[in-house]
Amino acid sequence: MTKYPVNKIILFSSVDGPGNRTVIFLQGCNFDCKYCHNPETRRLCIGCGTCVTKCPAGALQRSEENGGQVVFLPEKCVSCDTCIHICPHDASPRIRPMTAAEAFEAVKRQMPYIRGVTVSGGECTLYPDFLRELFALCKEVSLSTFIDSNGTYDFASDPELMAVTDGVMLDIKAFSGEDHLTVTACDNRQVLKNALFLAEEGKLFEVRTVIVPGLYDTEQTVLETGKLLKDYCGQVRYKIIAYRPMGVRESYSHYPVPEQALLEDYAERLREMGWRDIVII
Ligand code: SF4
Ligand code: SF4
């Protein structure tokens, strides 16, 4: 059975989709967002060993049998996060390789307390086989299934995944192609296509935009996204997220935090278009 890189599992979350949910974070992302708040989720460990000697608890070891791969000993870890802060490759040595069935076992233990499962990242759609398999198991026990995505996966091409997915939380990081390249180093045509496709399918639960003044045209992004999805604004939530420098890579931590008044103004203008479910965080 294929094992997938699980960065962490949060047993209970009330901010990752409807109700109380278990959230599985997969490692690896195809974007390079300047304001990424979890840069340690971007890449897979290349086994350079830099973090091994810096771990104060002896929770990291090199495995000679496994070509020098770094082995994580969770029972020794004191969760100081030194390893992820010093990793020069935007990786983490604390990844747990898990099959979808193993991840489902972790979810199943929370069943009396959760409404469903959300898979996030990194970018979890880099592993569509994991999503299909995990969600099919969740459906057997009537757990709802949500995906947190940057929107680069072609959801329309995967009816099998859509059949077992209840909803998607989609990032619209910038509306213009040029701005999107500036923010993420990737094109956004598929993202906008997905926004419409998922809305038409009734599976777009939420769109989110991180407001970073000075990095891209935030006003255009919120208002044009609002217009693009206007026909569905009664069923989709718009989450406006204020940029905050916590966790951001040093070289990108200089952007200003937006004023609350600016966020309120964007929300008001969305309301004028007919949007009702708007959250500012
Ligand atoms: S987690 Fe980072 S620092 Fe540690 S071995 Fe892997 S690539 Fe090197
Ligand atoms: S968080 Fe990383 S550096 Fe800190 S104890 Fe755990 S493995 Fe070691």
Side-chain angles (χ1 to χ4, degrees), residues 118-220:
T118 296
V119 187
S120 182
E123 175 50 36
C124 67
T125 62
L126 296 181
Y127 308 99
D129 295 340
F130 175 89
L131 293 171
R132 277 185 232 107
E133 200 181 328
L134 173 72
F135 286 1
L137 291 166
C138 290
K139 287 289 147 207
E140 284 175 16
V141 294
S142 302
L143 284 172
S144 68
T145 49
F146 278 69
I147 293 172
D148 179 337
S149 174
N150 67 18
T152 45
Y153 188 64
D154 184 359
F155 286 103
S157 73
D158 195 340
E160 202 187 323
L161 176 60
M162 285 293 91
V164 288
T165 301
D166 292 313
V168 176
M169 278 89 75
L170 188 74
D171 292 331
I172 308 268
K173 291 172 188 279
F175 196 84
S176 88
E178 202 181 320
D179 273 352
H180 201 270
L181 271 175
T182 301
V183 176
T184 71
C186 284
D187 186 87
N188 71 347
R189 278 169 292 189
Q190 185 64 54
V191 181
L192 300 179
K193 232 168 108 182
N194 273 328
L196 279 174
F197 168 74
L198 292 166
E200 279 160 16
E201 295 287 303
K203 299 210 171 183
L204 186 61
F205 176 74
E206 176 180 286
V207 285
R208 292 95 57 98
T209 299
V210 178
I211 306 299
V212 195
L215 177 60
Y216 70 98
D217 191 338
T218 56
E219 179 180 19
Q220 180 202 46

Side-chain angles (χ1 to χ4, degrees), residues 44-52 60 70 83 86-93:
L44 298 177
C45 171
I46 58 164
C48 72
T50 307
C51 58
V52 174
L60 302 171
V70 174
C83 50
I86 61 156
C87 174
H89 302 286
D90 290 347
S92 166

Side-chain angles (χ1 to χ4, degrees), residues 55-57 59-60 72 77-83 94:
C55 173
L60 302 171
F72 173 51
C77 177
V78 294
S79 301
C80 65
D81 285 350
T82 303
C83 50
R94 293 183 283 168

Side-chain angles (χ1 to χ4, degrees), residues 254-275:
H254 59 280
Y255 296 108
V257 174
E259 300 279 344
Q260 184 68 17
L262 180 72
L263 310 177
E264 299 285 359
D265 175 56
Y266 290 166
E268 188 49 38
R269 290 160 80 185
L270 286 171
R271 265 183 225 109
E272 283 164 12
M273 274 182 221
W275 285 76

Side-chain angles (χ1 to χ4, degrees), residues 8 11 34 60 66 98 143 146 158 184 235 240 261 277:
K8 67 179 165 196
L11 298 179
K34 291 202 163 56
L60 302 171
N66 245 332
M98 295 175 94
L143 284 172
F146 278 69
D158 195 340
T184 71
Q235 70 194 49
I240 299 172
D277 190 359

